[in-house]
Amino acid sequence: MRVSFLIPLYNCLDLTQAMLTSLQTTLPADLAHEIILIDDGSTDGTRDWLKSLGASPPFRVLLNDRNLGYAATNNRAAECATGDLLVLLNNDLVLTPRWLEPMLAALATHPTAGIIGNVQRTVSTATIDHTGIVVNAKGKPVHDRALPP
């Protein structure tokens, strides 16, 4: 199994660099993967930094000509991803050890699942920020903050 990590970028270079460090230090050593960084028109030096990465695996870099927004940027990355699984990540995350393994285990238990997510905590307070998405009575997707059973 190969995993494609899709990370849209728009400015916030310092957060992006910290996130990538946390990603690379927390991935299982034997995980076949690629990291697709999609810049959505950054103006803070992100594009110059991306050039310094070159085309060295596991990185792949895409540059949008203009700011397309989060969904279109992820869709663009998904079109060229080579992984069996797509993992969508934000560039401001702080990933902790073993963050991915429970989701891979859930997929092994439920191989027909279309989406598997995680519990996200607010860094400053450690309170639960997100446990999934629910669709409310108006048909709008919103964050669920209740722990699943």
Side-chain angles (χ1 to χ4, degrees):
M1 172 181 52
R2 180 172 167 86
V3 178
S4 294
F5 295 95
L6 313 182
I7 308 168
L9 311 175
Y10 181 71
N11 292 329
C12 302
L13 177 57
D14 57 334
L15 294 178
T16 298
Q17 291 170 327
M19 182 274 187
L20 281 178
T21 297
S22 73
L23 173 62
Q24 291 185 286
T25 59
T26 58
L27 290 179
D30 60 346
L31 183 69
H33 68 280
E34 65 182 345
I35 299 171
I36 303 175
L37 302 164
I38 320 95
D39 187 72
D40 206 17
S42 292
T43 58
D44 68 343
T46 295
R47 287 188 172 217
D48 290 334
W49 175 76
L50 289 171
K51 288 177 190 172
S52 76
L53 292 177
S56 58
F59 296 108
R60 295 179 59 201
V61 174
L62 302 174
L63 303 175
N64 291 343
D65 292 332
R66 60 183 175 82
N67 190 295
L68 301 177
Y70 184 78
T73 296
N74 272 310
N75 286 340
R76 182 168 181 235
E79 286 176 5
C80 70
T82 62
D84 304 300
L85 297 176
L86 302 180
V87 176
L88 280 63
L89 298 173
N90 293 342
N91 70 329
D92 63 348
L93 295 175
V94 177
L95 300 166
T96 57
R98 299 195 47 76
W99 68 272
L100 182 61
E101 287 86 338
M103 289 187 283
L104 295 176
L107 181 61
T109 303
H110 305 285
T112 61
I115 294 176
I116 295 176
N118 63 328
V119 174
Q120 294 180 15
R121 296 187 179 273
T122 303
V123 172
S124 60
T125 64
T127 57
I128 292 175
D129 175 59
H130 181 279
T131 60
I133 299 289
V134 294
V135 178
N136 68 17
K138 294 181 179 181
K140 179 181 178 187
V142 295
H143 284 195
D144 187 4
R145 290 184 170 83
L147 285 173

